Amino acid sequence: MIETLLVGFGRFGKEHLSAWEATGRAQISAIVDPTLTIAVSSPDCQRSIPVFASIAQIPANIHFDAAAIVTPFSTHKEIAKVLIRRGIPCLIEKPLASRILDCEEILSEAKRFEVFCMPGNILRFSKAHIEIRARMEESGFPRSRLTLRRDRSEAILSLHPGVHPALLTGIHDIDLAVWFTNSKAVFVSAKHSVVNGVCVNFEAEIQHANESRSTISGAYSLPKQKLNSVSDEIKIINSENLVVAKFVDHSLGDDAEPKVNQNLVNEIDHFLDVILGFTDNLRAALADAVHGVAVVETIIKSAMLEGQTLDVPKSEFTLN
């Protein structure tokens, strides 16, 4: 059984607790979250999981083999550095960090201490999205035209004040576009709308290294009272103007207690396979996450420059 430290116990942290234990191969041995004051029950109600305000407060007799970092992304770098220096493999939720410099520092630390870290990327573990990727691969990753849109509840604005939608939600589609085309983003042109100092939507045109093009957009336009509502659309057309793939998920969401997130379980299972030595075929790498944040930074800069086409910064840590 892989003993796991869960850092962060917000909405997604609770999903992580259920998902780690649903693997049957791991269990949460401790939770770090300064907002918690009492122990947390395991999903099967058979164990009481101790909670701590910081990693430093965890006593030496509590052992963990891996960690999941599910805190606000502005805190990821410092938490990851502490765990990496202890030799603890980490699954770090998306986005890897709020700035490309912080992402690069995480990757540099992981390389320096030879500790495996994997970015959270649950859509790479979704059956529907895996099928799209397989279809593209079977065709030899042809030059294509991709359209990806992701809308979320207006309530997200108050939960994550001031966070640009390209970083909070659009980063999922940025990653999918790069994964589906098997080609990094090289140029970006973008626009966004700002209301009362807050960005509420964006649209970005991305050119990939293989000359594929992606239009990625998103908005906080769904009902405020439906926090879990989603509206996701993907369409891929090849150079012969034929539809290669199409995906649609429109749901007003369910405010009831969420079920176990199977995509997250699949992601954690893959992470466990890697750290246990069962596979070296890594589906999501830190370099992918660094590139994703680089694209986000370029989208925001382009939008502030009224849509000017900009190069995506190259990095020694990415495949660019």
Side-chain angles (χ1 to χ4, degrees):
M1 187 66 70
I2 300 297
E3 300 292 341
T4 306
L5 172 66
L6 177 58
V7 187
F9 202 61
R11 290 176 63 239
F12 204 38
K14 293 178 175 66
E15 287 194 40
H16 264 264
L17 171 59
S18 298
W20 280 89
E21 307 231 344
T23 65
R25 300 193 288 166
Q27 65 179 19
I28 301 299
S29 56
I31 298 173
V32 170
D33 191 311
T35 67
L36 297 176
T37 56
I38 59 173
V40 173
S41 293
S42 61
D44 62 6
C45 299
Q46 298 300 306
R47 299 178 0 261
S48 181
I49 303 171
V51 302
F52 303 93
S54 68
I55 296 172
Q57 292 183 7
I58 301 174
N61 65 330
I62 295 182
H63 168 75
F64 45 93
D65 309 294
I69 301 176
V70 199
T71 55
F73 45 82
S74 60
T75 67
H76 286 182
K77 182 186 76 171
E78 296 306 324
I79 294 169
K81 286 170 65 175
V82 169
L83 293 168
I84 288 169
R85 290 173 182 180
R86 293 189 181 191
I88 305 298
C90 297
L91 176 59
I92 309 171
E93 265 309 327
K94 178 186 287 289
L96 185 61
S98 53
R99 304 184 309 152
I100 189 172
L101 292 177
D102 291 341
C103 292
E104 291 176 338
E105 192 169 341
I106 292 171
L107 198 154
S108 179
E109 287 286 285
K111 284 187 173 181
R112 176 187 171 197
F113 289 93
E114 298 182 340
V115 175
F116 174 65
C117 293
M118 189 177 100
N121 222 321
I122 61 172
L123 295 183
R124 291 197 183 197
F125 299 88
S126 151
K127 181 180 178 182
H129 296 87
I130 290 171
E131 288 175 354
I132 294 174
R133 160 77 180 199
R135 209 171 303 158
M136 295 290 285
E137 185 173 13
E138 288 169 5
S139 303
F141 297 110
R143 181 165 52 88
S144 304
R145 189 75 175 89
L146 294 77
T147 305
L148 305 96
R149 184 169 182 86
R150 183 175 303 268
D151 294 339
R152 291 295 181 267
S153 168
E154 188 182 342
I156 300 293
L157 288 170
S158 56
L159 287 176
H160 302 276
V163 179
H164 197 283
L167 181 62
L168 190 61
T169 57
I171 195 164
H172 292 280
D173 289 321
I174 292 166
D175 179 76
L176 287 176
V178 169
W179 190 48
F180 290 157
T181 60
N182 199 39
S183 182
K184 298 293 183 183
V186 291
F187 300 112
V188 167
S189 173
K191 58 185 178 181
H192 62 202
S193 297
V194 177
V195 178
N196 297 325
V198 177
C199 181
V200 296
N201 62 57
F202 80 100
E203 181 173 293
E205 293 290 334
I206 295 174
Q207 181 174 324
H208 299 265
N210 72 347
E211 297 186 349
S212 290
R213 291 182 176 272
S214 296
T215 300
I216 296 175
S217 60
Y220 301 129
S221 56
L222 301 182
K224 190 172 185 178
Q225 65 273 22
K226 289 289 185 178
L227 177 60
N228 297 319
S229 55
V230 300
S231 179
D232 296 346
E233 297 182 2
I234 298 171
K235 188 175 183 179
I236 303 177
I237 300 174
N238 64 17
S239 58
E240 297 175 352
N241 210 31
L242 297 175
V243 176
V244 177
K246 191 173 183 179
F247 173 84
V248 176
D249 179 11
H250 293 166
S251 170
L252 286 179
D254 184 357
D255 293 330
E257 193 68 23
K259 299 176 182 178
V260 175
N261 186 329
Q262 189 57 50
N263 295 339
L264 183 55
V265 175
N266 296 343
E267 175 184 86
I268 293 168
D269 262 327
H270 179 73
F271 174 81
L272 295 174
D273 282 345
V274 174
I275 66 173
L276 292 171
F278 296 146
T279 183
D280 57 5
N281 183 21
L282 187 59
R283 193 176 299 174
L286 285 181
D288 300 324
V290 175
H291 181 66
V293 174
V295 176
V296 168
E297 288 191 354
T298 310
I299 286 172
I300 295 171
K301 186 175 180 180
S302 172
M304 293 177 68
L305 294 172
E306 299 183 347
Q308 183 177 332
T309 298
L310 302 174
D311 293 353
V312 176
K314 293 179 173 61
S315 167
E316 63 176 299
F317 297 107
T318 70
L319 300 179
N320 275 357

